Amino acid sequence: MRLLPARSRAAGSALVLAMLAGPAAGQSLDQAIALHLDGRLDEALIAYRAIAADPSREPIEVSGAHNAACVLLNDRGEFAAALVECREAERLRRALGDRFRLALTLNNLALSLQYLGETAEAERRFLEALALDRELAEPEEEAVVLANLAALAIGAGRYGAALDRLTEAVALAHAHAAAPWTAEQLRVARLNRAVVLERLGAHDEALALLRELSAGPEPDRRHRAALAANLGVVYRNLGDPRRAARELERAAELFRAESDRGGLANALLNLGQIFELHLGAPVRAEALYSEAIAEARAGGNRTEEIVARLFRGRLRSGAGRIEAGRADLETALAAARSSGDAESEWSALYELARAARAEGDEEGALERADRALAAIERVRAGVRSHAGASGFLADKRRVFALAVELAARRALASGRREDALAALARVQRAKARELLDALGRSGAQPLDAAALARLAAEPGPKLEIYLGERRVWRFLLGGDRVEVADRGEVARVAALARRLHGALASGGPPDAAALAELGAALLGGTGPLEGDLTLAPDGLLRHLPFELLAPAAGEPPLVERARVAYAPSLSLPPSSGRPAPAELAFAGFGGVAPTEAVAGTARALLARRLALRPLPASRAEVERAAAAVGGSARLALDADATEAALVALAPAGVRVLHVATHALADERLTEGAALLLAPGDGGDGLLTAAEIAALDLPVDLAVLAACRSALGDATDGAALGSLTGAFLAAGAGGVIASLWEVGDAASAVVMEQLYHELGRGRRPADALTRVKRRLRADPRWADPAVWGAYVLVGDPGPVAS
């Protein structure tokens, strides 16, 4: 269980009460509502549907029955069925001109859409409901919609927008302080604020707020149960599984007392995960999963039952009880298919693939893994995550990793070129999905085996590296070569990469042994890598400066052998041409004061927690870079360096965009990374990767000469990948960024020499390589932590006249 679904449920429960408080249109509807409130959900749903299907009923009563059925199904997690009911209620209420009830239906409809992954349409419906509530002067309903809009923004990682909505809701509640509904809405706002704090890494503040809420008065046990469940999740995320278990046990007792089978099943699922994954008690975990299945079945909640069977099937299969595990997984798979639950379908297929592999049936495992990929890709726009799912269910990466590993093993065993291309095509599907999901974009297609074969015929070496489930896989293309190689255990390579990056990021010397072992693992056996090299690393290897590596002892490092252009994947290769004619030669952003922000905003919270320092030298850096490039320039400095100023560049096109400000990279955040700009002009000053990717920004080269403030350990490299990938998605031909923070003096030297080379008309790949070689040969700057920090993603042509 995650924090956000509980917040949605809290807001949703207020919505249910608001809807049911309206006048009933007949005794039968009254009776159905009474069944609903009494927790007799199956009977209530039958009654609602009977009313809706009765041609003798008045349209207002039929619309009320559809709307009530939507609310009930939303509460049960049956969002696809709820959507059907809400759409019919919406149609009828629009025809009736019933604006007040239409607003309630739009809110319910938006909740269904939100959990089905249709976030854009959900937001449109919420906003229409909000406009109606304000027009009709319905402050309670307005507060509910604001809370739901905040929850939607949290789910999308738009924390600044979420805090803005919460501030509006709090102000509205204070303006109607005497009304009976304000206390609940203030609690909802504070709970959602705690979620934002948690997502921003302010764990202590989030926990303090949740504790304060738990110590205060609660209107009923259901609210106390939800709060306890969320405290359990926070404690689990903070690495305190025993306290998390105590909170979840308390939540289960409260849900049991309320006869809330859905909440109980959910709490039991989370408790089972803690005992299985954190406390090493699989027998207790299995008992909890079994109890969750029983509660879900008794409550008619197929969604929770499917998820519980998935967890129990995984546990049983992992314990070697393959037949019992397979029975659970096959049951979950059949139920998922019949209900159209694609997420549970791929989850069941993935676990069945793992079970087949454990039995030595790798071909059967690959067939199931490919079916899981097909299920994921059928719903690429996204379906909701189950309320009870943890990272196990939300992490589609591991499905791709398993499929790649099985396919690569088959290619190695067969030695056939077509098998190697088929395995590499699965890598393209995996990497393209990860990047597109992170950026909230769709439409780009990964290269298939035939397209990869054509790419292999082109000159110049191309390396694609993928971290499989257990092994590191390297694919080499170029000069009609297609080779796949197993380059060692993921855990070992990851540990070495993390050690090397940590040493360089702290300004220390790189570990010679780690350098040698990584070079041999990742570059060894490739033959000469010379000239222009396209390199597509994966995961935390995106944090690794490959130019430091040598393929074998005694050989020069890659920086002396090749001009490296990094790419997210071979399906999104470096571009050698100018994206579009540029009206501006240069645009620069700098001088941003990190402390200038409205108190309570996401930007202010991050600046305070990270103690971000001013960057006074950034103004001069921007001005020098503009002079080196020459031509027309637009500088946005100090308070003028806003999001709006960057967006305004879109129509013109820019050859070089230089951003000298703080860059925040956090693997834990939904969107991973953001640039810190000046607040104002309608923006919060926190420009996320998704916001960048949504821009139409034709830029030849984006230079992120930013002070990197890493909020957490480098875990999978997605944060850095999303930031550079966002500029590529927005239209940049290439991005130069740093893998770690470089001191002011060293950064100034790198930038000065880089722009000197760019100003002479060199391609960025050539310019950056020359700078690195020159600094490496200069005793003052020979430290790899200096010259190795900056990398080029993409490969644009010359950017200066």
Side-chain angles (χ1 to χ4, degrees):
M1 180 175 178
R2 297 174 299 172
L3 282 168
L4 182 56
R7 301 302 159 260
S8 299
R9 172 176 284 186
S13 65
L15 172 65
V16 172
L17 295 174
M19 184 280 299
L20 295 175
Q27 185 61 33
S28 294
L29 185 55
D30 280 340
Q31 290 171 346
I33 290 171
L35 291 170
H36 191 160
L37 290 174
D38 195 38
R40 297 159 66 181
L41 302 184
D42 288 338
E43 297 172 67
L45 185 58
I46 291 170
Y48 289 144
R49 286 176 168 166
I51 294 169
D54 186 347
S56 68
R57 301 280 180 172
E58 293 294 327
I60 189 171
E61 190 175 8
V62 173
S63 70
H66 281 299
N67 189 69
C70 173
V71 172
L72 186 154
L73 291 164
N74 270 341
D75 282 351
R76 282 170 48 152
E78 298 176 34
F79 299 109
L83 184 64
V84 174
E85 300 288 351
C86 259
R87 287 202 189 281
E88 186 60 19
E90 178 198 16
R91 184 187 68 80
L92 290 168
R93 287 180 167 175
R94 286 193 190 278
L96 290 167
D98 190 344
R99 296 167 67 78
F100 170 72
R101 289 178 177 79
L102 174 61
L104 294 175
T105 294
L106 289 169
N107 199 52
N108 293 335
L109 174 61
L111 284 170
S112 303
L113 290 164
Q114 176 183 347
Y115 286 102
L116 287 167
E118 300 289 343
T119 54
E121 187 179 354
E123 186 166 24
R124 287 194 297 271
R125 302 297 181 149
F126 278 137
L127 290 173
E128 185 181 357
L130 184 64
L132 283 171
D133 290 333
R134 286 173 172 170
E135 179 185 334
L136 297 169
E138 294 290 345
E140 179 178 1
E141 283 68 40
E142 181 183 347
V144 169
V145 178
L146 287 169
N148 286 332
L149 278 166
L152 186 72
I154 293 170
R158 294 184 284 117
Y159 304 120
L163 288 169
D164 289 343
R165 293 298 185 186
L166 294 175
T167 300
E168 290 183 71
V170 169
L172 188 64
H174 285 314
H176 298 80
W181 54 267
T182 58
E184 179 178 359
Q185 290 309 311
L186 286 171
R187 277 193 299 273
V188 170
R190 296 171 75 189
L191 286 168
N192 278 294
R193 181 174 173 80
V195 175
V196 176
L197 291 169
E198 171 69 17
R199 297 294 178 86
L200 292 173
H203 304 299
D204 292 338
E205 295 176 57
L207 185 58
L209 185 51
L210 287 173
R211 283 175 170 169
E212 182 183 338
L213 285 167
S214 64
E218 288 289 343
D220 56 41
R221 285 183 297 195
R222 188 164 296 177
H223 281 87
R224 293 199 299 273
L227 186 56
N230 281 280
L231 275 167
V233 172
V234 173
Y235 283 128
R236 176 184 174 183
N237 291 339
L238 287 171
D240 191 347
R242 295 194 180 279
R243 184 171 291 183
R246 288 196 295 272
E247 291 292 344
L248 285 164
E249 286 168 348
R250 186 164 70 91
E253 290 175 5
L254 291 165
F255 282 130
R256 200 187 307 275
E258 283 294 298
S259 299
D260 184 342
R261 293 186 180 276
L264 176 58
N266 190 274
L268 292 169
L269 271 173
N270 281 280
L271 197 54
Q273 292 173 63
I274 289 173
F275 277 99
E276 178 189 0
L277 303 175
H278 299 277
L279 299 180
V283 175
R284 173 64 172 148
E286 184 174 353
L288 288 163
Y289 293 149
S290 297
E291 189 180 354
I293 292 170
E295 290 295 335
R297 286 178 61 84
N301 192 325
R302 296 187 69 197
T303 300
E304 294 291 353
E305 181 187 353
I306 290 170
V307 178
R309 285 194 181 277
L310 285 172
F311 279 109
R312 192 174 71 176
R314 180 193 64 179
L315 186 152
R316 287 174 167 177
S317 296
R321 295 155 57 199
I322 302 297
E323 289 301 322
R326 184 184 293 114
D328 267 336
L329 296 170
E330 293 286 4
T331 300
L333 177 60
R337 284 174 173 163
S338 66
S339 62
D341 186 343
E343 185 168 351
S344 291
E345 181 181 350
W346 70 253
S347 299
L349 286 166
Y350 166 68
E351 292 299 337
L352 286 166
R354 294 180 70 226
R357 186 184 61 180
E359 292 182 294
D361 180 12
E362 292 206 355
E363 286 301 315
L366 181 57
E367 185 269 335
R368 289 172 176 82
D370 280 341
R371 284 164 58 196
L373 297 188
I376 290 171
E377 290 168 344
R378 282 201 308 270
V379 288
R380 193 178 191 90
V383 296
R384 69 177 181 88
S385 294
H386 292 304
S390 68
F392 154 69
L393 284 179
D395 184 9
K396 299 176 182 65
R397 158 85 190 199
R398 63 185 60 194
V399 187
F400 286 90
L402 175 61
V404 168
E405 190 138 304
L406 291 165
R409 284 172 57 84
R410 181 170 68 181
L412 275 184
S414 72
R416 298 192 308 172
R417 177 188 176 96
E418 55 265 37
D419 285 343
L421 288 169
L424 181 55
R426 288 178 174 85
V427 173
Q428 303 313 298
R429 291 164 67 186
K431 285 191 171 184
R433 193 203 69 80
E434 283 181 347
L435 179 63
L436 294 171
D437 280 4
L439 301 177
R441 296 174 68 89
S442 60
Q445 295 298 319
L447 297 181
D448 59 15
L452 289 166
R454 292 191 293 272
L455 185 65
E458 296 178 3
K462 302 162 190 68
L463 284 182
E464 180 96 56
I465 299 175
Y466 188 75
L467 303 182
E469 193 173 50
R470 299 172 182 172
R471 311 294 294 179
V472 178
W473 299 98
R474 188 187 69 202
F475 298 84
L476 172 63
L477 302 183
D480 213 31
R481 296 170 67 189
V482 180
E483 298 176 4
V484 57
D486 178 347
R487 305 309 297 172
E489 295 183 356
V490 167
R492 177 60 181 170
V493 171
L496 289 169
R498 195 174 286 112
R499 185 197 311 171
L500 180 60
H501 181 273
L504 293 167
S506 63
D511 185 314
L515 271 178
E517 189 174 346
L518 276 172
L522 299 176
L523 301 180
T526 59
L529 295 174
E530 298 174 345
D532 292 322
L533 168 66
T534 300
L535 209 161
D538 183 43
L540 58 81
L541 296 184
R542 298 186 187 106
H543 292 271
L544 187 65
F546 278 73
E547 288 95 328
L548 272 68
L549 305 180
E555 294 192 18
L558 192 59
V559 68
E560 299 293 345
R561 302 161 60 99
R563 292 177 295 275
V564 178
Y566 293 84
S569 77
L570 293 183
S571 289
L572 297 164
S575 171
S576 60
R578 176 163 293 162
E583 295 181 16
L584 284 173
F586 182 89
F589 289 72
V592 175
T595 56
E596 289 182 1
V598 177
T601 63
R603 186 186 190 281
L605 287 169
L606 288 169
R608 185 179 74 248
R609 187 165 69 82
L610 295 171
L612 298 181
R613 58 186 176 82
L615 302 173
S618 63
R619 286 178 55 94
E621 177 182 306
V622 169
E623 292 166 350
R624 285 195 300 268
V629 173
S632 57
R634 185 181 300 170
L635 307 187
L637 303 173
D638 304 327
D640 293 330
T642 63
E643 296 177 53
L646 194 145
V647 172
L649 298 174
V654 183
R655 289 187 181 177
V656 179
L657 170 64
H658 187 95
V659 182
T661 180
H662 286 281
L664 311 177
D666 187 349
E667 304 292 1
R668 298 164 304 186
L669 298 182
T670 302
E671 295 187 73
L675 290 176
L676 200 76
L677 296 174
D681 295 332
D684 61 2
L686 201 60
L687 190 63
T688 67
E691 290 172 329
I692 295 168
L695 298 175
D696 179 13
L697 197 62
V699 172
D700 287 24
L701 177 67
V703 179
L704 307 184
C707 175
R708 184 169 307 284
S709 299
L711 308 187
D713 293 335
T715 54
D716 66 3
L720 180 64
S722 69
L723 191 59
T724 55
F727 276 99
L728 295 177
V735 185
I736 290 178
S738 63
L739 298 174
W740 53 82
E741 185 174 347
V742 180
D744 290 343
S747 180
V749 169
V750 172
M751 288 296 112
E752 181 180 4
Q753 295 204 25
L754 172 67
Y755 278 100
H756 171 73
E757 296 293 342
L758 292 175
R760 297 179 65 185
R762 301 192 190 283
R763 289 171 44 227
D766 186 24
L768 186 58
T769 300
R770 287 173 180 269
V771 170
K772 290 185 175 187
R773 290 173 179 171
R774 188 178 302 130
L775 294 178
R776 182 171 180 264
D778 188 328
R780 296 172 299 172
W781 309 109
D783 185 350
V786 174
W787 62 264
Y790 286 94
V791 295
L792 170 66
V793 183
D795 190 13
V799 295
S801 302

